Amino acid sequence: MADFDAIYEEDQLEEHYEDQTVAPVAEPIIIRGAGNMTVFGLSNRFNPEFPSGLVSRVAREEFKATIVRINGISKKTLPVNVKWLFCGCICCCCTLGCSLWPVICLSKRTQITLDKLLEWENSHLYHKLGLHWRLHKQQCDSNSMMEYVILIEFIPKTPIDRPD
């Protein structure tokens, strides 16, 4: 007959994690766009509020400085994209849609600039702290449209090999 007072699952679970080379990782943190203007899913400003999941992992000042740099790039590039989008929409019928190519190229350039900034931030600071920031395209919660968000992923720490 089984002993109901004994807990076998925890012991098996601990042994299972000791055998693995990678410890379980927390869910990624999502920072959504908080601006009043969005072009092709890219917002002109991201939410600067410090997420609770980053407490004791990164300083508030470092987080804020990164968000300020991201928002600075968005603030410079997206108003130009909106002007080109407006002009492209006006001329769209005459050009059979070709007038939208400049805004598509400018939007792609903004994404590449943000990706380069995040890679620089990752290599100089966040990878040392066990974090990886990236621009990620995902579906909006309220509708079927796509939006770009900043995804902060936790890099799993590999255990140090101990001699037995």
Side-chain angles (χ1 to χ4, degrees), residues 7-17:
I7 301 174
Y8 294 108
E9 291 181 17
E10 285 186 33
D11 297 335
Q12 293 169 352
L13 242 153
E14 289 175 8
E15 291 172 11
H16 178 70
Y17 283 131

Side-chain angles (χ1 to χ4, degrees), residues 138-147:
Q138 73 175 24
Q139 190 169 356
C140 293
D141 294 335
S142 59
N143 54 31
S144 63
M145 294 176 50
M146 300 297 279
E147 70 174 334

Side-chain angles (χ1 to χ4, degrees), residues 35-46:
N36 56 357
M37 187 176 13
T38 302
V39 178
F40 292 122
L42 194 58
S43 181
N44 68 330
R45 191 172 71 84
F46 285 93

Side-chain angles (χ1 to χ4, degrees), residues 59-71 121 126:
R60 290 180 187 272
E61 295 81 19
E62 292 168 340
F63 174 83
K64 185 177 178 182
T66 301
I67 294 294
V68 165
R69 283 191 276 279
I70 291 169
N71 287 340
E121 293 280 341
Y126 292 110

